[in-house]
Amino acid sequence: MEELFEKYWRGLLEPKAKLDFEEQLHNDEKISADYRSFAIAAEASKKLAFDDLKAEMTKPLAMPQKQRALKWWPIAAIILPLTIVAFLLATKTDSKKLFAENFKLPSVEQTRSDVDIQSTFAKLINSKDCAGALKFIDQLSADRTTNYYRFYEGICHLSSGDYEQAETLFGNLIQSQDSRFQADSEWYSLLTAIAKEDEDSTKKRISMILAKKRHPHLENTRKINRKIRSPLYNL
Amino acid sequence: MTDEQIIQNISAGAAKMNKAVRWIYQESGWKEQIKARLKKQGASDMESEDIFQEAICALVFNIRDNKFRGESKLTTYLSSISTKRWFTFRQKTQRAIDKGGNVMGDPADHTTTTPEEEILCQEERMHLDLALDTMGDKCKKVLKLWALNYSMQEIAQQMNYKSAGMARKKKHECLKRLQEKLIADPYFKQ
């Protein structure tokens, strides 16, 4: 019966069903009383809904798109600088990174003389056994310690973090003007200065290499020069 | 919002319905239009405001009960509801003034006097409120949703009931309880 009451109350009954029901209401006191009770409760419920809808009308509308976008500004103002800092930290170049990018232990070339000794040494260097190589050089007699060994000794010191020794050896080699090791010594001397984080020395070495238009390490030195002059270097 | 969007939102119920209601009232520009027409027909500012709000509620109910057939624009339909409501209200109040023996004047001069029938309506509302106040919040919400013709499935979702059957049971219980409270009130017994 409640379903029929509801349909009548909502005005959803077909004309014939509506007439039949109205006849029942007219003739049956019980149904009439029940419907009256139902209708009052239904109207009370409707009033609740009306009151709610009216309260809803005056609530502020959602902010327009522009304002909503503006609301994001405080968040963006925090996120954006953080993102930039994170990006800079991720892309910044420091001396260690620059050194690691450029330092490579060179493979050893053999000369015709002194083949056996040199061959043993070459094996140590090519297998990146710098400790073994340094020990090997220590055991060599003074007359056998040529620029060749001094050069690799410098590289091994550089590789193991003994920058002072490396710097001395490369400095001597540069001064000796031995054309076989001159250019490479300048290059590794630059890398030593970078590893030592010695800014003045780094700039001097760079200028020295850049002044030589046919220097074998010219291109790499230019790259280093660009990086150390970048604001992102050592941020 | 287009008429179609409004109808869709009101039919969808809940937050979408509320958004549509707010848009009609605040953004559509219909309020100013319809209130101006009602004022020309003699309504005061307060009356035209009440009538317009009631008309929006009626529109919502008609859309949710599928009584709006889409034969006219929503603004025309809302204007028509408002006008009908205004004339019904005016007839009632005029009748009440006549019954009360007060001076009859031009209906257009009617402002916000307190005619007998309006007092009766207010009294009726007060008794309804008294009965509703004794109902729990959950019951009130179920009845509100039911009055807005939400399906039992939708009521179950809104109220976090397990099933539509549970929603139907709750609605029946709440409606019965409200009926009992209203019948117990001597005002409604008469």
Side-chain angles (χ1 to χ4, degrees):
Chain A
M1 192 54 90
E2 198 173 289
E3 206 177 316
L4 182 64
F5 286 174
E6 186 183 338
K7 281 188 177 170
Y8 182 72
W9 176 69
R10 289 190 191 278
L12 300 175
L13 281 181
E14 295 296 322
K16 170 80 173 66
K18 189 183 170 211
L19 275 176
D20 289 348
F21 181 68
E22 282 173 347
E23 206 177 312
Q24 272 185 300
L25 282 178
H26 190 71
N27 297 327
D28 192 324
E29 278 188 19
K30 169 93 175 54
I31 290 179
S32 176
D34 284 350
Y35 177 72
R36 186 174 177 273
S37 153
F38 169 88
I40 295 170
E43 285 300 323
S45 306
K46 189 173 168 178
K47 184 187 167 299
L48 275 177
F50 263 49
D51 289 347
D52 245 32
L53 285 170
K54 285 179 189 172
E56 200 60 49
M57 285 174 206
T58 48
K59 281 184 187 169
L61 271 170
M63 276 188 284
Q65 205 68 35
K66 202 176 172 182
Q67 274 177 289
R68 235 181 294 165
L70 281 174
K71 208 180 170 188
W72 281 97
W73 274 108
I75 300 163
I78 296 164
I79 289 172
L80 197 64
L82 287 176
T83 313
I84 292 168
V85 169
F87 171 77
L88 293 179
L89 287 173
T91 55
K92 79 163 188 171
T93 309
D94 57 24
S95 55
K96 283 178 187 160
K97 196 176 170 187
L98 196 60
F99 176 77
E101 281 172 356
N102 289 282
F103 178 75
K104 278 177 196 161
L105 210 63
S107 54
V108 177
E109 288 173 25
Q110 290 185 349
T111 56
R112 282 180 189 168
S113 63
D114 214 4
V115 171
D116 286 341
I117 296 170
Q118 212 166 316
S119 167
T120 309
F121 180 72
K123 278 179 190 167
L124 289 167
I125 292 289
N126 291 340
S127 64
K128 299 184 180 174
D129 182 4
C130 261
L134 289 172
K135 204 174 171 184
F136 184 89
I137 293 166
D138 270 347
Q139 289 167 355
L140 283 176
S141 55
D143 61 315
R144 285 182 184 268
T145 312
T146 58
N147 282 347
Y148 173 86
Y149 291 107
R150 287 193 191 101
F151 175 71
Y152 288 106
E153 189 184 359
I155 287 173
C156 279
H157 283 305
L158 178 58
S159 168
S160 58
D162 190 353
Y163 304 132
E164 296 302 326
Q165 283 280 5
E167 193 175 42
T168 308
L169 285 162
F170 292 130
N172 291 339
L173 283 166
I174 292 165
Q175 278 179 354
S176 74
Q177 297 191 335
D178 183 339
S179 60
R180 292 175 302 162
F181 303 106
Q182 179 80 20
D184 284 343
S185 293
E186 285 168 354
W187 168 247
Y188 284 103
S189 177
L190 167 60
L191 294 183
T192 307
I194 291 169
K196 278 178 73 183
E197 298 183 343
D198 183 339
E199 198 179 340
D200 285 345
S201 185
T202 301
K203 285 180 180 171
K204 276 180 196 165
R205 303 287 180 226
I206 287 173
S207 304
M208 187 169 65
I209 295 172
L210 293 181
K212 297 173 181 171
K213 301 294 174 197
R214 291 186 181 183
H215 198 287
H217 298 283
L218 186 67
E219 202 47 51
N220 285 335
T221 306
R222 278 180 181 156
K223 283 180 190 170
I224 288 174
N225 190 36
R226 279 197 291 272
K227 282 187 181 174
I228 68 159
R229 288 174 198 282
S230 152
L232 297 180
Y233 182 73
N234 258 345
L235 188 85
Chain B
M1 271 192 204
T2 63
D3 280 8
E4 205 174 310
Q5 285 170 328
I6 293 170
I7 293 165
Q8 275 174 0
N9 282 359
I10 289 174
S11 303
K16 284 189 174 180
M17 178 180 75
N18 292 339
K19 191 181 166 192
V21 165
R22 286 199 297 271
W23 187 85
I24 294 172
Y25 185 76
Q26 297 175 32
E27 295 283 305
S28 64
W30 300 347
K31 183 167 79 172
E32 293 72 23
Q33 232 176 300
I34 291 171
K35 276 178 74 174
R37 189 170 301 158
L38 290 172
K39 279 181 195 169
K40 272 186 189 172
Q41 289 161 349
S44 68
D45 189 56
M46 204 184 284
E47 283 165 343
S48 62
E49 176 67 33
D50 285 347
I51 295 277
F52 181 68
Q53 287 193 8
E54 295 266 326
I56 295 176
C57 295
L59 173 76
V60 169
F61 269 76
N62 286 351
I63 288 173
R64 293 197 58 83
D65 284 345
N66 284 323
K67 285 184 192 166
F68 175 68
R69 305 212 178 278
E71 288 160 356
S72 62
K73 281 184 178 178
L74 275 185
T75 172
T76 313
Y77 188 66
L78 194 63
S79 178
S80 151
I81 295 174
S82 302
T83 307
K84 274 183 195 169
R85 281 191 168 253
W86 166 239
F87 280 116
T88 308
F89 174 79
R90 203 170 65 169
Q91 276 172 2
K92 279 183 182 176
T93 52
Q94 196 57 50
R95 222 168 32 232
I97 291 167
D98 289 349
K99 275 186 195 172
N102 292 332
V103 179
M104 279 178 66
D106 184 348
D109 287 339
H110 172 72
T111 52
T112 50
T113 51
T114 322
E116 191 186 350
E117 198 153 349
E118 199 178 336
I119 292 167
L120 285 176
C121 274
Q122 281 174 355
E123 201 177 340
E124 188 179 289
R125 275 188 213 139
M126 192 187 78
H127 283 272
L128 287 179
D129 283 338
L130 282 173
L132 287 167
D133 282 347
T134 60
M135 307 285 287
D137 285 345
K138 281 196 172 179
C139 246
K140 280 201 265 190
K141 194 173 176 189
V142 169
L143 290 175
K144 219 172 354 189
L145 295 172
W146 168 73
L148 277 162
N149 208 9
Y150 276 59
S151 71
M152 290 303 147
Q153 189 63 48
E154 287 169 325
I155 294 176
Q157 278 171 1
Q158 293 266 325
M159 301 300 297
N160 289 326
Y161 293 147
K162 283 178 187 169
S163 63
M166 174 68 86
R168 188 171 289 107
K169 191 182 160 205
K170 290 282 179 189
K171 173 235 125 187
H172 179 76
E173 285 172 3
C174 292
L175 196 64
K176 273 283 163 210
R177 207 183 307 160
L178 181 59
Q179 279 177 254
E180 283 161 13
K181 286 182 191 295
L182 289 166
I183 288 168
D185 184 334
Y187 178 83
F188 290 108
K189 264 188 182 170
Q190 291 164 9

